[in-house]
Amino acid sequence: MGDNKGMDRRGFLKTAAFSSLALGGAAALAGCAPAASTDGGAALSSTGDIAWDKEVDVLVLGSGTGAFAALVAAAKGAGSVCLVEKGTMWGGTAATSGGGLAVPLTYAAADAGVSDSKEEIVKYFKNASDGRVDEAVLNSFIDNGSDFIDWISEEMGWKFVASPLFGDYYEPMEGWIPMGRGSLGAANADGPMIASQMWEEMKAKMEGYGVEILMGTEATELITDGAGAVLGAVCGGQNIKAGSVIVATGGFDHNDEMRAKYHPFKIMATNAVPTNTGDGQLMGMAIGANVSYMDRCWGAPAILTTGDDPATLIAEGTIAQEIAGTDWAMYRGLPGAVVVNKKGRRIGNEAGPYDLFNQAFAYYDTGEPGHVNIPAYFICDAACWATYSLPGHTVGAVGEGDGSYFDETYGGEATDPAEVPAHFVQADTLEELAGKLGIDPAGLTAEIAAFNENAVKGADPVYHRGEKHLDINTTGVMAGSRTDLANPVLAPLATGPFYGAIYVPGTCGTAGGLTINENAQVVNTAGEPIEHLYAVGNCSSGVSGGTYVHGGISLGSGGVMSWVAVNHAMGATA
Ligand SMILES: Cc1cc2nc3c(=O)[nH]c(=O)nc-3n(C[C@H](O)[C@H](O)[C@H](O)COP(=O)(O)OP(=O)(O)OC[C@H]3O[C@@H](n4cnc5c(N)ncnc54)[C@H](O)[C@@H]3O)c2cc1C
């Protein structure tokens, strides 16, 4: 990768122009692309039967992790860059996110005194992904990660800091470490930034470089020559010719058909932007691209705050829109709270990572055939309700108080504790609560009695809640680092009234897509790279076998593989 980093703009333009000419010739022969400009306007140039409306060196589809690709391309002198965004909101899901980037072996980890090695990282990714990770792609991610973080830090004037929140999720698998790989947070001169600031700053920077940003412009088709190489894309009805196309159109969270086809259990909530409908995967497959890990997602379960009937969502295969209860960290694991299924049985370690907990929904009951954990139910007692904020119910400051991550996420002006939002039910006894929610009352009371007996001693012999670093570093911090309890994330559900809500599987992005190689090139079903086509972010197969190895892996890998893609595109056209 290193040998083309210094290529200048003039050199790139020269070689890109050459490759465009060569490809144009192929297209003229093959003629397998849109025949004419679809808006009826004058074509910029015409190659054979393709009427081109615009010609650029790099075309990026999508403004989430695609923003990294466009920024790298523009700043490194890759020539003219155009980014098209289907939505009206800049930055996609990425700009609404926590903005944490998971990149290993960076200065941020070194600053935090983290000791780590490539060997341990590879071990960890392989174990966590159950061997599904593509080692060549993973090596590329690890080898380029630090360069990318150094570069973007200098380019943007940002400093990244490693946090113990959202560290490695698969403790105690071999290669696991508590912090340093996941969720590096960026700060500018004014202090820590939220993602929307990061994406606005990147936008301003790329506009300064002359990147053309076309909002409300949907890519609908990849244009190829007869031999399968990509020549450009149809975007908003315009035929845009490009030396390289980088697809960054996100997941297929909002495509009911694709979720039904690929996911092993029903996903009923998402906070990915509604424009993420699997367009990149579909456009790629239409020209022969392979796809990988389509059954995987970045799991993010949630209380169903929308009033949807879960049975209808399941029967119709639809998804709750504009969910407000995503359970990042981690109200399900607060002292005095549990999550149970309709039999009243707990379904997992409530204080553990959101994605791991989401995987508990996959459990299939062979006695009473079906996914018995879908939907599940969040249950808490009066002390938990009085002490902690939950979706639609706010008690004031949270965790360490003002400005902390948890306070930003869940804090706010206190709501009236006597007011119970519509998505919660309240009952004086557990039996009554079970009846209202449709849970087996005997099962629930027996389960909570057993849970309580151990919880007062600080123990959870079933799921070992509170025994993992993340339970304490993340959920424990949100719970206020309780020293009055034997275990900071465990307390019995002791006193009524009790509160309950429907709790469902969700995503903050699907994690399967166009199969990429170590250069972030999309490959076809024979494993051969499709010329001039790259994919990054959730529309790609990513770097971790679709496994949520630690917080920030989606944005971190999107950033690093954008860097890899642009470097390769610049070298490949030389
Ligand atoms: C509240 C929240 C917090 C999160 N925190 C983190 C975090 O801290 N770290 C982390 O790594 N991940 C986090 N995530 C997940 C992360 O935001 C997503 O996984 C990530 O944004 C995926 O990047 P992407 O570029 O693939 O998709 P997106 O960021 O969604 O971007 C895809 C873009 O492509 C556009 N698009 C779709 N189709 C087309 C088309 N046909 N033509 C043109 N444009 C198109 C979409 O409109 C969208 O803007 C969080 C998510 C949420 C909701």
Side-chain angles (χ1 to χ4, degrees):
M1 203 63 42
D3 54 353
N4 53 54
K5 281 181 186 169
M7 188 178 191
D8 67 8
R9 180 185 168 87
R10 182 183 293 270
F12 180 78
L13 280 174
K14 224 167 91 182
T15 50
F18 170 76
S19 65
S20 295
L21 269 179
L23 292 170
L29 286 173
C32 61
S37 168
T38 43
D39 72 348
L44 174 72
S45 62
S46 181
T47 309
D49 58 355
I50 304 172
W52 297 107
D53 296 289
K54 187 188 288 292
E55 186 169 344
V56 294
D57 293 303
V58 179
L59 174 62
V60 179
L61 314 180
S63 66
T65 52
F68 291 125
L71 176 65
V72 175
K76 286 175 70 73
S80 52
V81 180
C82 175
L83 183 152
V84 301
E85 167 53 55
K86 175 180 174 181
T88 50
M89 196 193 82
W90 168 252
T93 316
T96 71
S97 77
L101 269 66
V103 182
L105 301 175
T106 61
Y107 70 80
D111 289 351
V114 172
S115 159
D116 201 1
S117 70
K118 183 173 174 182
E119 199 188 0
E120 290 301 301
I121 296 163
V122 171
K123 236 186 257 171
Y124 174 66
F125 273 62
K126 276 180 160 176
N127 287 329
S129 69
D130 217 0
R132 287 160 64 116
V133 76
D134 178 326
E135 214 167 326
V137 178
L138 175 59
N139 281 331
S140 176
F141 170 62
I142 299 170
D143 293 344
N144 286 282
S146 175
D147 283 354
F148 168 69
I149 290 292
D150 287 350
W151 177 83
I152 199 164
S153 298
E154 196 179 328
E155 173 70 21
M156 297 303 302
W158 294 347
K159 181 164 171 50
F160 286 89
V161 178
S163 155
L165 294 177
F166 306 108
D168 284 1
Y169 289 169
Y170 285 79
E171 182 180 2
M173 287 190 176
E174 209 187 343
W176 168 92
I177 59 171
M179 67 169 282
R181 297 169 183 161
S183 272
L184 310 181
N188 64 13
D190 298 327
M193 287 184 290
I194 57 172
S196 56
Q197 281 174 283
M198 295 167 70
W199 259 255
E200 281 309 318
E201 288 193 9
M202 286 198 283
K203 185 172 183 227
K205 195 85 178 187
M206 63 181 88
E207 280 170 344
Y209 284 120
V211 173
E212 185 178 12
I213 296 173
L214 302 176
M215 297 299 295
T217 303
E218 179 179 359
T220 50
E221 192 179 344
L222 294 167
I223 304 171
T224 61
D225 67 9
V230 166
L231 302 178
V234 183
C235 303
Q238 308 274 305
N239 295 338
I240 304 181
K241 185 176 186 179
S244 303
V245 176
I246 302 178
V247 188
T249 49
F252 53 88
D253 308 70
H254 290 278
N255 184 320
D256 294 347
E257 250 175 62
M258 288 179 80
R259 282 197 327 279
K261 182 168 177 182
Y262 294 112
H263 270 191
F265 57 89
K266 301 277 184 189
I267 296 295
M268 295 159 72
T270 182
N271 50 13
V273 289
T275 37
N276 286 0
T277 50
D279 301 0
Q281 290 87 334
L282 294 171
M283 285 188 284
M285 284 191 274
I287 64 157
N290 197 48
V291 288
S292 302
Y293 315 126
M294 295 290 277
D295 58 330
R296 307 292 299 186
C297 67
W298 313 124
I303 281 182
L304 194 58
T305 55
T306 54
D308 285 287
D309 172 14
T312 308
L313 293 177
I314 291 169
E316 294 180 355
T318 48
I319 203 159
Q321 300 293 325
E322 299 187 17
I323 194 97
T326 302
D327 193 3
W328 298 107
M330 323 270 183
Y331 52 76
R332 83 190 89 84
L334 291 168
V338 290
V339 174
V340 298
N341 64 17
K342 66 179 179 186
K343 296 184 175 184
R345 306 300 302 269
R346 289 172 65 213
I347 70 169
N349 169 17
E350 294 91 348
Y354 41 96
D355 175 73
L356 257 69
F357 198 80
N358 208 56
Q359 294 186 47
F361 291 110
Y363 176 70
Y364 198 85
D365 186 343
T366 51
E368 186 188 316
H371 287 107
V372 69
N373 292 347
I374 303 177
Y377 303 89
F378 169 88
I379 310 272
C380 74
D381 74 349
C384 178
W385 184 265
T387 313
Y388 295 115
S389 291
L390 298 166
H393 162 75
T394 309
V395 295
V398 173
E400 313 103 288
D402 278 352
S404 72
Y405 171 82
F406 296 108
D407 201 39
E408 291 274 322
T409 310
Y410 295 110
E413 207 173 310
T415 48
D416 178 357
E419 245 174 54
V420 180
H423 49 270
F424 278 102
V425 296
Q426 182 196 39
D428 289 336
T429 65
L430 285 169
E431 290 87 341
E432 192 191 339
L433 191 79
K436 285 184 174 177
L437 287 167
I439 304 170
D440 171 33
L444 181 66
T445 48
E447 182 80 348
I448 299 300
F451 173 81
N452 284 352
E453 203 180 317
N454 291 306
V456 286
K457 295 181 272 184
D460 173 14
V462 183
Y463 293 114
H464 305 281
R465 178 163 150 185
E467 294 179 24
K468 304 268 194 306
H469 283 73
L470 190 133
D471 299 6
I472 301 303
N473 289 347
T474 304
T475 310
V477 174
M478 180 184 171
S481 302
R482 300 268 301 260
T483 51
D484 58 319
L485 300 169
N487 176 329
V489 293
L490 267 182
L493 280 72
T495 45
F498 298 94
Y499 299 82
I502 298 162
Y503 194 85
V504 298
T507 69
C508 59
T510 56
L514 303 172
T515 311
I516 54 168
N517 67 12
E518 65 274 22
N519 302 315
Q521 291 171 287
V522 176
V523 301
N524 63 22
T525 49
E528 297 152 348
I530 296 175
E531 276 184 75
H532 312 294
L533 185 65
Y534 300 83
V536 299
N538 292 352
C539 70
S540 77
S541 53
V543 304
S544 61
T547 308
Y548 216 148
V549 281
H550 31 234
I553 189 61
S554 163
L555 296 180
S557 63
V560 175
M561 296 318 279
S562 289
W563 168 261
V564 168
V566 172
N567 280 322
H568 185 268
M570 292 176 77
T573 49

